[in-house]
């Protein structure tokens, strides 16, 4: 009997493909100085380093959340040798944050609350009944009298988290200083002075500060979420912090897979239009002008509506809820890709028109090299900077678009955790008194941090890669 | 000039035909009328008779492109394609799946949309240019830097939060404006103010930053150096020379969205309960009313193409160096 049954969702598969592509690119770049140059420039800017660290943290959560599996169900009696697996699809990340997932309350509760949001009839030990806010099952359950003890408990827990973070950061700083000293052939003390005064090409101080903040956040979140619901709970009592963390994968998938899906079309058609010109160019230009003249949201809405109809009439194709939600996510990426490839295609066409007139292309043609080889060896490498810049630029817009589309009702599956769905759910409760604001806050904080770092990072990428800026 | 415009309009026709064919394929071939009927009547427990009746009431029971049962010209005209898609070129949008006249709905609902979208556009343009000028005037100082940081931060906030936050702060806490709703005539003003302010504020981030780069690009040109060399103050260089020249990319970039203002904004209209075309579209999406969505897709494309033509014309108006042949 297996301990678990691995599940490979479609989006997971594409994500691994994407990571393999990134690894291949990194391997190529490492050996070529001229390709390495822009990355070096990127690493020298402070906002570039800081945003890259934050983005990497998000990506780490997203990747861990993409290792899916199903656990076996407990055997009922000693029937057949065949094991049955739970219909619930879990990820490695779910195991890591175990208690967050399992500590489900009855309904809404505010952040750090020890009581439920709504009044209920509670039966006292004597048999009497009162209407009051009942205690939560998990949040602040260790306190005997929350009103009196909570402030002290929060302070002590924060201190505890702070001490952990400090110890970790100190260790990291020492490790960095020793490593840097080894590399540069100086004493660790001198390396530390260099880090502190920021007198090296790479802004180590910023790097260390960003990692320190992240470590502090992770430590505080860990110690607090063991005792409280940091961002409260939602309508069915799920921890909002857990939902926000799970939404990271959805956001990243939309931001990256969309580009991955559209990239082959944009590359192939854009370069073909610019390289062959003539009727090929006319046909391709006509195609993308037609597609881009349809307002994006409407085309997406139309396509998603039709997908919904298809999925509703073919429900037997999907064996788990996760598989169904996953297919919908994948199609959303495809549809977003179809509406957004036109911009990149146009840019690539323009750049190819310019590149194909260069002398080295004429030389290649004179040597009798075929069209395919010219495109692959000479044109493609010279337009790749555009591809990279537009991938990074599009990312933040796509993450924001997810929220809007979920609001319109054509976003990801309602069963899938996403920031858009969180906002959408919270919107319906805005009129309540007191207001249920914590889901909005959690979605806002997570989206803001991700999109802000993506925006900063894309600015630096453009500065480093755009030949016109240099 | 007239020749050019006529040619541009002729160019637009094949694109509109493409859009039309695409929407037809999406709505009737990929997604058959049977499926549509099933969605509306409930997926389970639906009889073939009910589906046939639903299709017949809406004219979806005809052949898709070619009616071999009919006689003469009717073979091509008595079909779904002719009745539902070809009519759109004459802005005949037919009836929605609920039986409402779409063209009439559009005519009445575009004015509230315009009442919000037009002030957002005009005020937003002015505010963004003002902010960008400020940053360009103080370029490479802390004012400029903090302005750019503020812009990037504002860009990173989802539009939904501007609306939710604005509604909460202004309407719920301060009670300055009603939370949502709309009224005819001058009473509409109090309903319009908040969506307009939020629309403008939400657009500052990306708008002001974009215009700032345009201004900075202009300030590195030779004519700016000449203007400074002849002793003009920085302010008069900025307003007299840079602004004028920067207006070319700014205006031509803005003109393309003017026709689309009629369509309104999907999100803010539905949050504020404004009976415009944006909320009309959202309602249609939620009610899965395919006829309305199809009409809006076509209308949006037409307006976008009109915007492109207007852009080309505006080039010649603001930039005398460009002549359209």
């Amino acid at each position: 009997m297996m301990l678990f049954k691995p599940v490979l969702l479609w989006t997971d598969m594409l994500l691994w493909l994407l990571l393999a592509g990134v690894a291949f690119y990194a391997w190529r770049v490492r050996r070529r100085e001229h390709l390495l140059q822009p990355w070096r420039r990127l690493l020298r800017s402070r906002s570039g380093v800081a945003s890259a660290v934050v983005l990497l943290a998000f990506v780490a959560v997203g990747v861990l959340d993409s290792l899916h599996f199903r656990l076996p169900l407990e055997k009922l009696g000693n029937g057949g040798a065949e094991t049955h697996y739970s219909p619930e699809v879990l990820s490695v990340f779910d195991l890591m944050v175990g208690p967050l997932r399992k500590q489900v309350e009855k309904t809404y509760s505010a952040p750090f609350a020890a009581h439920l949001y709504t009044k209920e009839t509670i039966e006292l030990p004597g048999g009497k009944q009162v209407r009051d806010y009942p205690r939560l099952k998990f949040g602040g359950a260790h306190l005997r009298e929350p009103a009196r003890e909570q402030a002290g408990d929060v302070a002590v827990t924060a201190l505890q988290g702070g001490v952990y973070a400090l110890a970790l950061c100190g260790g990291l700083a020492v490790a960095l200083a020793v490593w840097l000293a080894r590399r540069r052939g100086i004493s660790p003390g001198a390396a530390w002075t260099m880090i502190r005064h920021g007198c090296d090409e790479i802004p180590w101080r910023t790097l260390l500060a960003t990692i320190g903040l992240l470590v502090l956040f992770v430590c505080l979140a860990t110690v607090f979420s063991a005792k409280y619901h940091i961002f409260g709970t939602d309508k069915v009592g799920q921890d909002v912090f857990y939902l926000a963390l799970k939404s990271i994968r959805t956001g990243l998938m939309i931001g990256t897979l969309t580009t991955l899906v559209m990239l082959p079309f944009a590359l192939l058609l854009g370069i073909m239009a610019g390289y062959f010109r003539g009727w090929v160019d006319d046909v391709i230009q006509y195609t993308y002008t037609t597609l881009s003249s349809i307002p994006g949201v409407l085309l997406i809405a139309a396509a998603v509506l039709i997908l919904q109809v298809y999925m509703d009439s073919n429900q037997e194709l999907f064996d788990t809820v996760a598989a169904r939600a996953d297919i919908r996510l994948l199609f959303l990426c495809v549809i977003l890709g179809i509406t957004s490839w036109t911009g990149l295609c146009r840019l690539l066409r323009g750049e190819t028109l310019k590149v194909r007139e260069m002398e080295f292309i004429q030389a290649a043609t004179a040597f009798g090299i075929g069209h395919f080889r010219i495109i692959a060896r000479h044109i493609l490498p010279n337009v790749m900077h555009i591809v990279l810049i537009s991938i990074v630029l599009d990312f933040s817009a796509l993450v924001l678009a997810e929220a809007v589309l979920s609001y319109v009702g054509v976003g990801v599956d309602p069963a899938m955790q996403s920031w858009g769905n969180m906002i959408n759910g919270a919107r319906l409760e805005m009129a309540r008194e007191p207001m249920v604001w914590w889901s909005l806050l959690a979605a806002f904080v997570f989206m803001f941090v991700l999109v802000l770092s993506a925006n900063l990072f894309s600015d630096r990428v453009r500065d480093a890669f755009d030949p016109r800026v240099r | 000039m007239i020749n050019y415009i006529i040619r541009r309009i002729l160019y637009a026709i094949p694109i509109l035909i493409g859009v039309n064919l695409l929407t037809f394929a999406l709505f009737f071939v990929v997604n058959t009328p049977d499926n549509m009927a099933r969605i509306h009547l409930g997926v389970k427990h639906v009889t073939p008779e009910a589906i046939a009746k639903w299709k017949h009431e809406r004219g979806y029971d005809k052949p898709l492109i070619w009616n071999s049962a009919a006689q003469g010209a009717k073979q091509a005209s008595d079909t779904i394609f002719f009745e539902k898609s070809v009519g759109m070129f004459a802005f005949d949008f037919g009836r929605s799946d609920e039986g409402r006249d779409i063209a009439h709905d559009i005519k009445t609902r575009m004015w509230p949309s315009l009442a919000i979208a037009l002030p957002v556009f005009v005020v937003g343009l002015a505010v963004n240019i003002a902010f960008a000028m400020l940053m360009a005037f103080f370029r490479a100082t802390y004012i400029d830097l903090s302005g750019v940081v503020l812009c990037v931060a504002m860009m990173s906030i989802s539009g939904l939060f501007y609306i939710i936050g604005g509604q909460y702060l202004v309407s719920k806490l301060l009670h300055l404006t009603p939370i949502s709703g709309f009224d005819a005539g001058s009473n509409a003003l109090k309903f319009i103010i908040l969506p307009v302010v939020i629309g403008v504020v939400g657009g500052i981030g990306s708008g002001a930053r974009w215009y700032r780069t345009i201004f900075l690009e202009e300030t590195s040109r030779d004519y700016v150096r000449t203007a400074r060399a002849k002793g003009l103050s920085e302010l008069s260089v900025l307003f007299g020379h840079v602004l004028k020249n920067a207006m070319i990319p700014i205006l031509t970039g803005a003109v393309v969205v003017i026709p689309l203002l009629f369509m309104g904004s999907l999100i803010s209209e539905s949050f504020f309960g404004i009976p415009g075309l944006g909320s009309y579209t959202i309602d249609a999406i939620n009610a899965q009313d395919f006829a309305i969505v199809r009409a809006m897709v076509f209308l949006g494309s037409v307006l976008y193409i009109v915007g492109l033509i207007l852009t080309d014309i505006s080039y010649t108006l603001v930039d005398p160096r460009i002549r359209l042949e």
Side-chain angles (χ1 to χ4, degrees), chain A residues 123-435:
Chain A
E123 200 157 322
L124 292 177
K128 256 172 52 182
Q129 290 185 336
V130 284
R131 270 194 80 73
D132 199 5
Y133 300 106
R135 286 290 297 270
L136 295 179
K137 266 185 277 176
F138 302 99
H142 59 296
L143 305 172
R144 200 168 296 156
E145 277 178 70
R148 215 156 44 83
E149 299 168 19
Q150 196 177 26
D153 185 61
V154 168
V156 169
T157 318
L159 203 68
Q160 192 190 355
V163 169
Y164 288 154
L166 212 62
L168 272 173
C169 288
L172 256 171
V174 170
L176 180 67
V178 170
W179 178 77
L180 208 60
R182 277 251 185 100
R183 254 191 97 141
R184 300 282 157 89
I186 45 176
S187 74
W192 177 243
T193 328
M194 197 172 76
I195 293 172
R196 232 182 44 200
H197 293 288
C199 47
D200 190 45
E201 282 178 335
I202 297 171
W204 297 110
R205 197 172 41 168
T206 316
L207 179 74
L208 213 53
T210 321
I211 295 180
L213 274 178
L214 270 175
V215 168
L216 181 66
F217 173 75
V218 172
C219 287
L220 286 179
T222 316
V223 291
F224 272 119
S225 57
K227 296 177 179 174
Y228 298 99
H229 298 290
I230 303 178
F231 280 109
T233 52
D234 74 349
K235 190 170 188 170
V236 288
Q238 274 190 306
D239 191 291
V240 172
F241 182 51
Y242 170 71
L243 294 180
L245 284 171
K246 289 287 281 182
S247 304
I248 290 177
R249 176 176 183 271
T250 315
L252 289 178
M253 285 291 180
I254 297 230
T256 53
L257 289 192
T258 302
T259 330
L260 185 72
V261 169
M262 73 159 190
L263 202 55
F265 297 100
L267 265 177
L268 189 74
L269 295 179
I271 292 181
M272 266 171 62
Y275 184 78
F276 292 112
R277 299 195 289 195
W279 65 270
V280 179
D281 190 18
D282 289 341
V283 170
I284 292 171
Q285 273 200 66
Y286 171 73
T287 314
Y288 71 60
T289 321
T290 306
L291 270 178
S292 69
S293 67
I294 302 175
V297 185
L298 288 178
L299 185 60
I300 294 166
V304 170
L305 277 185
I306 282 151
L307 174 72
Q308 247 169 356
V309 173
Y310 176 78
M311 287 180 48
D312 284 346
S313 11
N314 297 286
Q315 274 174 347
E316 67 284 353
L317 288 178
F318 315 102
D319 55 347
T320 56
V321 181
R324 188 185 147 82
D326 184 69
I327 287 289
R328 175 143 175 190
L329 176 66
L330 181 64
F331 270 95
L332 189 64
C333 290
V334 172
I335 293 160
L336 276 168
I338 289 173
T339 54
S340 64
W341 67 279
T342 52
L344 180 59
C345 189
R346 185 174 297 155
L347 285 176
L348 285 172
R349 174 182 169 271
E351 191 68 15
T352 312
L353 277 175
K354 234 185 306 173
V355 171
R356 80 185 293 274
E357 299 303 326
M358 303 245 182
E359 277 101 352
F360 60 88
I361 304 285
Q362 285 173 16
T365 320
F367 279 125
I369 296 174
H371 291 311
F372 180 75
R373 268 182 78 88
I374 290 183
I375 288 177
R377 296 294 299 267
H378 299 290
I379 297 203
L380 196 59
N382 282 300
V383 296
M384 276 318 263
H385 66 277
I386 293 188
V387 174
L388 190 77
I389 293 171
S390 71
I391 289 177
V392 183
L393 274 182
D394 283 349
F395 177 82
S396 47
L398 287 167
V399 173
L400 291 179
E402 185 273 323
V404 171
L405 290 178
S406 294
Y407 171 78
V408 177
V410 293
V412 296
D413 196 85
M416 186 164 227
Q417 295 98 343
S418 86
W419 294 311
N421 281 342
M422 282 170 70
I423 298 171
N424 210 2
R427 188 179 56 91
L428 303 171
E429 307 291 340
M430 284 228 320
R432 268 176 109 144
E433 203 62 46
M435 196 173 139

